[in-house]
């Protein structure tokens, strides 16, 4: 029986994770759940999974939760300190971090420092401070298994072999606008962006997938996770989302991992690694699919991917700044304050205004994050006022 805490339990990955736990009641026990503000959904999860602890991020939401909660003895924690307390619980062996955005970094670091294994869906932890996090993982001898489907694929293809790798490739669906020119996208609405053709995902990642910023963040994530040079990480557009990642080895062999686009599959892999469990998930049928296509992405068409590669090469706090500016720009787009095509402009202008620094500590990275948010906010206001 593995005791787990799940951060971000009411989001898309969190709900899929609990669906996996539901399938294996004798394998996984939920010790703690955390949400930002979705207290109604949290109350239902508490009823079903009976954790001893919950943590709630948004101020005021904990009060609302207390009125909904019917479980006596449940401890209700709050804010960032609540997340830290959760990941440090002595009875917990595995922390599933499915928080969205830079807010996931501190819990990741705290979990590793407390010697917990980590199933990581929060890619920002590695985008912002990958070098630092991976150093800690090595020092503490803990296990970090990615939940992101592409990284899960690479992890499976590598199976621990790193010396004989020539190159890795992450695939991207291309999102709902694949094949449409940038100029045609001025007027797309949040509803159109949120309608992802294949994956069922949260709102920020839907926007980031439509402009491939998400793939750029995943390149940074892969760089640290697998300790591989940026120039050896490729991206291919693959709209069917069946092959999630490929590893090219030095002997000319390429291994690819395939599965139906269902996040429960990589989640189960991360939760159970190094074991492989018998699960009720269907295999993909290549005969039914018939054709799989792959195409090199055009960086003119996807300026966000170009910006992400540039930020990755610059290193230091630049990836953190890019991510923070993107969190601000995406929220502004979802609130209809700016156009979809304003997002790359705001990212580029933000980076031009920010001084790159070394990413030596969590504090320096979070300071860069705060600074970039302020700059991006100003740029958003300027766009709104035009
Ligand atoms: Mg992914």
């Amino acid at each position: 029986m593995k005791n787990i805490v799940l951060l971000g339990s009411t989001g898309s990955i969190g709900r899929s994770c609990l669906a996996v736990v539901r399938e294996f009641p004798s394998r996984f026990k939920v010790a703690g759940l955390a949400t930002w503000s979705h207290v109604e959904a949290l109350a239902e999860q508490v009823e079903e999974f009976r954790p001893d602890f919950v943590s709630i991020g948004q101020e005021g939401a904990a009060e609302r939760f207390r009125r909904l909660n019917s479980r006596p003895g449940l401890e209700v924690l709050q804010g960032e300190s609540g997340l830290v307390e959760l990941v440090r619980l002595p009875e917990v062996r595995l922390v599933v971090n499915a928080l969205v955005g830079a807010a996931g970094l501190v819990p990741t670091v705290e979990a590793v420092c407390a010697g917990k294994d980590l199933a990581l869906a929060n890619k920002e932890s590695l985008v912002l401070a990958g070098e630092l996090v991976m150093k800690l993982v090595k020092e503490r001898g803990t296990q970090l298994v990615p939940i992101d489907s592409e990284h899960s694929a690479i992890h499976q293809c590598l199976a621990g072999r790193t010396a004989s790798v020539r190159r890795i490739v992450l695939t991207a669906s291309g999102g709902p606008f694949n094949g449409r020119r940038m100029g045609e996208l001025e007027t797309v609405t949040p509803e159109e962006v949120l309608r992802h053709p294949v994956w069922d995902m949260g709102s920020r990642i839907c926007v980031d997938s439509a402009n491939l910023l998400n793939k750029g963040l995943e390149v940074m994530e892969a760089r640290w996770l697998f300790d591989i040079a940026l120039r050896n990480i490729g991206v291919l557009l693959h709209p069917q989302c069946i092959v999630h990642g490929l590893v090219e080895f030095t002997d000319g062999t390429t291994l690819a991992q395939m599965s139906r686009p269902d996040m429960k599959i990589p989640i189960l892999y991360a939760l159970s690694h190094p074991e492989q469990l018998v699960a009720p998930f269907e295999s993909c049928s290549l005969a039914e699919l018939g054709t799989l296509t792959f195409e090199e992405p055009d960086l003119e068409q996807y300026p966000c991917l170009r910006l992400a590669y540039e930020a990755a090469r610059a290193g230091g706090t630049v990836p953190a700044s890019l991510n923070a500016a993107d969190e601000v720009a995406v929220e502004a787009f979802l609130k209809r304050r700016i156009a979809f095509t304003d997002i790359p402009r705001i990212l580029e202008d933000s980076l031009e205004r920010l001084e790159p620094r070394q990413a030596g500590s969590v504090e320096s990275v979070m300071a860069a994050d705060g600074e970039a948010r302020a700059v991006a906010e100003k740029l958003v206001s300027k766009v709104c006022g035009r």
Side-chain angles (χ1 to χ4, degrees), residues 105-377:
L105 175 59
V106 168
T108 287
V109 169
E110 290 292 335
V112 176
C113 285
K116 311 296 186 190
D117 288 338
L118 199 60
L120 189 64
N122 176 260
K123 65 190 63 162
E124 290 83 357
S125 292
L126 295 178
V127 169
L128 270 61
E131 196 171 8
L132 210 129
V133 168
M134 294 313 290
K135 199 169 143 239
L136 279 174
V137 167
K138 239 188 196 158
E139 276 171 18
R140 309 285 154 138
T142 61
Q143 174 180 282
L144 192 166
V145 181
I147 285 181
D148 213 342
S149 57
E150 297 78 2
H151 304 75
S152 179
I154 302 295
H155 196 273
Q156 293 175 59
C157 291
L158 285 173
R161 294 165 294 191
T162 47
S164 55
V165 174
R166 186 177 281 164
R167 191 168 167 267
I168 65 172
V169 178
L170 311 176
T171 59
S173 72
F177 311 128
N178 189 14
R180 280 166 69 176
R181 306 305 304 173
M182 200 61 191
E184 300 170 42
L185 303 179
E186 284 292 340
T187 56
V188 301
T189 62
E191 287 74 20
E192 287 173 83
V193 176
L194 296 181
R195 225 177 289 129
H196 194 274
V198 186
W199 293 101
D200 176 17
M201 307 185 291
S203 47
R204 181 187 174 209
I205 192 168
C206 273
V207 181
D208 285 347
S209 293
N211 59 26
L212 288 199
L213 195 268
N214 179 56
K215 208 50 54 179
L217 299 180
E218 288 182 356
V219 167
M220 302 185 208
E221 186 186 359
R223 167 203 195 161
W224 299 118
L225 193 53
F226 305 117
D227 190 20
I228 186 160
L230 271 175
R231 63 176 183 284
N232 295 331
I233 307 175
V235 170
L236 281 178
L237 292 177
H238 169 50
Q240 297 84 16
C241 299
I242 295 295
V243 174
H244 304 294
L246 307 100
V247 177
E248 300 173 13
F249 291 93
T250 45
D251 63 355
T253 302
T254 298
L255 291 185
Q257 184 268 354
M258 293 187 242
S259 63
R260 288 184 312 105
D262 178 347
M263 283 310 295
K264 291 198 284 297
I265 297 172
I267 288 170
L268 176 64
Y269 176 82
L271 258 54
S272 57
H273 187 78
E275 261 187 283
Q276 229 169 357
L277 303 180
V278 180
F281 310 139
E282 261 176 70
S283 304
C284 59
S285 163
L286 289 182
E288 234 169 76
L289 285 157
T291 310
L292 298 179
T293 61
F294 300 89
E295 192 191 331
E296 206 78 59
D298 172 2
L299 294 186
E300 294 279 305
Q301 172 71 7
Y302 291 107
C304 285
L305 182 60
R306 171 180 57 79
L307 287 170
Y309 268 115
E310 286 169 11
R313 279 193 287 269
T317 53
V318 181
S321 300
L322 178 74
N323 177 73
D326 184 61
E327 287 191 36
V328 170
V330 167
E331 199 187 314
F333 166 68
L334 291 172
K335 289 186 172 152
R336 296 168 214 278
R337 296 177 66 206
I338 61 169
F340 181 66
T341 43
D342 287 327
I343 296 173
R345 290 179 205 133
I346 285 172
L347 301 190
E348 189 148 30
D349 290 353
S350 297
L351 291 187
E352 268 169 26
R353 283 167 170 75
L354 289 156
E355 196 65 47
R357 276 193 278 274
Q358 291 206 326
S361 65
V362 172
E363 291 72 28
S364 61
V365 169
M366 292 315 288
D369 172 273
E371 227 176 293
R373 271 169 212 276
V375 166
E377 282 291 356

Side-chain angles (χ1 to χ4, degrees), residues 328-329 332 337-338 346 375-385:
V328 170
R337 296 177 66 206
I338 61 169
I346 285 172
V375 166
E377 282 291 356
K378 265 195 200 138
L379 290 167
V380 165
S381 300
K382 221 163 116 189
V383 170
C384 295

Side-chain angles (χ1 to χ4, degrees), residues 13-28:
I13 296 287
R15 283 180 279 120
S16 294
C17 181
L18 289 175
V20 169
V21 169
R22 189 179 290 128
E23 293 288 339
F24 298 95
S26 61
R27 289 287 185 151
F28 307 110

